[in-house]
Amino acid sequence: MPLIRPSADLRNNYNEISELCHEYPEPVFITKNGAGDLVVMSIETYELLTGKLELYSMLETGLEKVKQGKTKPMKDVIKSIRAQINK
């Protein structure tokens, strides 16, 4: 269930909002006049979210390359990875 707080809490109870953001790894939705206005989250949650987006982008690129037939045999990929690790 999303955490929803009024904008006045952000102004008047910043420390409480900050603690919420650090306690729960989800965004806190801030409303203004009863409507959604902002989303606040901890740096850790933000980094996790952007990391997921980056991973999804890389997966999408990989799937596109598969569709284009730009693939390598698995044994060649493993060999390349091992060579990089053993440098």
Side-chain angles (χ1 to χ4, degrees):
M1 178 161 216
L3 299 170
I4 302 170
R5 303 296 293 263
S7 60
D9 278 2
L10 188 57
R11 181 178 51 251
N12 300 327
N13 300 314
Y14 176 84
N15 289 336
E16 184 181 331
I17 299 294
S18 177
E19 286 177 20
L20 272 174
C21 289
H22 289 283
E23 268 184 56
Y24 302 101
E26 344 179 331
V28 175
F29 295 87
I30 306 296
T31 61
K32 184 176 181 180
N33 298 324
D37 186 47
L38 299 171
V39 174
V40 180
M41 64 185 81
S42 69
I43 294 285
E44 295 83 9
T45 300
Y46 174 78
E47 289 174 346
L48 181 64
L49 180 62
T50 57
K52 285 180 183 180
L53 291 174
E54 185 178 343
L55 176 61
Y56 295 154
S57 176
M58 291 167 56
L59 289 170
E60 186 177 5
T61 300
L63 291 172
E64 189 60 37
K65 287 186 177 190
V66 168
K67 286 180 185 176
Q68 296 170 357
K70 297 179 180 179
T71 61
K72 295 180 183 178
M74 183 65 128
K75 65 180 181 177
D76 293 345
V77 173
I78 298 293
K79 185 178 178 180
S80 174
I81 291 171
R82 285 190 177 139
Q84 289 179 14
I85 290 172
N86 293 325
K87 283 185 177 180

